[in-house]
Amino acid sequence: MAAPSSLLTPGMGVASSPPGPSVSPVDGTLQYSLILEHLVGERRRPRDVIPGGLGGMPTPLKTEEHKMMERVMESCGFKAVLACVGGFVLGGAFGVFTAGIDTNVGFDPKDPNRTPTAKEVLKDMGQRGMSYAKNFAIVGAMFSCTECLVESYRGKSDWKNSVISGCITGGAIGFRAGVKAGAIGCGGFAAFSAVIDYYLR
């Protein structure tokens, strides 16, 4: 049995055979060393990159539903809702924690000598947790939506977006108490946003 003049390799079509027989002349089996050279050796050739793939790895193309979900998840509305839910959970946990370490939880100011019951303590903790949750949810939604709009308007993603959105959010919250409170809220929230963004980046 004569040795073939060419060696078929997956994804490369017909390639010229290396020196020496690629098939044993005795039993017709392929030689492992020659196959290994074409897989990991010097004779290895890069595979064609599949469209949509990464580094030549076969990756399916994105469907229209996939693209639509990406657009939804990158929208300002989705980010605001996500921040609102996250702020609600974080604020509720923070409110319950602060109520747990407060020694005045459940006490009646009209009768400070009376020991509160467990039901009254839990009720007070729940009210404080809900209050914190609402405030954190509002602030989180405002900040996230404002930052997304600022980023879309500027066309850049840097630390200035968080500072500007922090100033707008803090000013809007503090403006209810007056112009001075709004200015203080703008500056304080902008500085806080800058510090947080610096450490996160």
Side-chain angles (χ1 to χ4, degrees):
M1 179 178 178
S5 60
S6 61
L7 178 64
L8 294 177
T9 56
M12 297 191 305
V14 178
S16 59
S17 61
S22 60
V23 180
S24 175
V26 179
D27 54 3
T29 58
L30 293 175
Q31 294 183 6
Y32 176 74
S33 60
L34 295 178
I35 297 176
L36 196 61
E37 287 183 5
H38 285 276
L39 293 177
V40 295
E42 297 179 354
R43 301 177 186 275
R44 179 177 178 271
R45 297 182 182 180
R47 296 180 180 179
D48 295 334
V49 178
I50 298 177
L54 178 62
M57 297 297 292
T59 304
L61 295 174
K62 295 181 180 179
T63 61
E64 291 298 327
E65 292 79 7
H66 191 183
K67 294 178 181 179
M68 183 181 68
M69 287 301 299
E70 284 187 347
R71 289 193 295 267
V72 170
M73 294 180 68
E74 293 174 358
S75 63
C76 296
F78 181 82
K79 292 180 179 179
V81 171
L82 189 63
C84 181
V85 174
F88 186 87
V89 174
L90 181 62
F94 186 73
V96 172
F97 173 75
T98 55
I101 60 177
D102 189 358
T103 58
N104 295 323
V105 173
F107 283 92
D108 187 2
K110 299 178 180 179
D111 189 9
N113 295 324
R114 187 178 65 86
T115 303
T117 62
K119 183 178 180 181
E120 292 173 344
V121 172
L122 292 176
K123 181 180 179 181
D124 198 359
M125 291 177 65
Q127 290 176 350
R128 184 177 297 189
M130 183 59 66
S131 176
Y132 274 71
K134 291 179 180 179
N135 292 332
F136 273 62
I138 293 173
V139 172
M142 288 179 60
F143 180 82
S144 180
C145 185
T146 305
E147 184 180 23
C148 181
L149 294 175
V150 171
E151 182 178 347
S152 300
Y153 177 77
R154 295 183 66 238
K156 297 179 182 179
S157 179
D158 53 15
W159 60 273
K160 295 181 180 179
N161 294 334
S162 59
V163 173
I164 296 173
S165 58
C167 179
I168 295 174
T169 304
I173 294 174
F175 188 74
R176 295 180 297 178
V179 179
K180 184 178 180 180
I184 295 175
C186 173
F189 214 108
F192 177 75
S193 302
V195 172
I196 296 298
D197 188 79
Y198 174 77
Y199 280 103
L200 288 179
R201 289 180 182 270

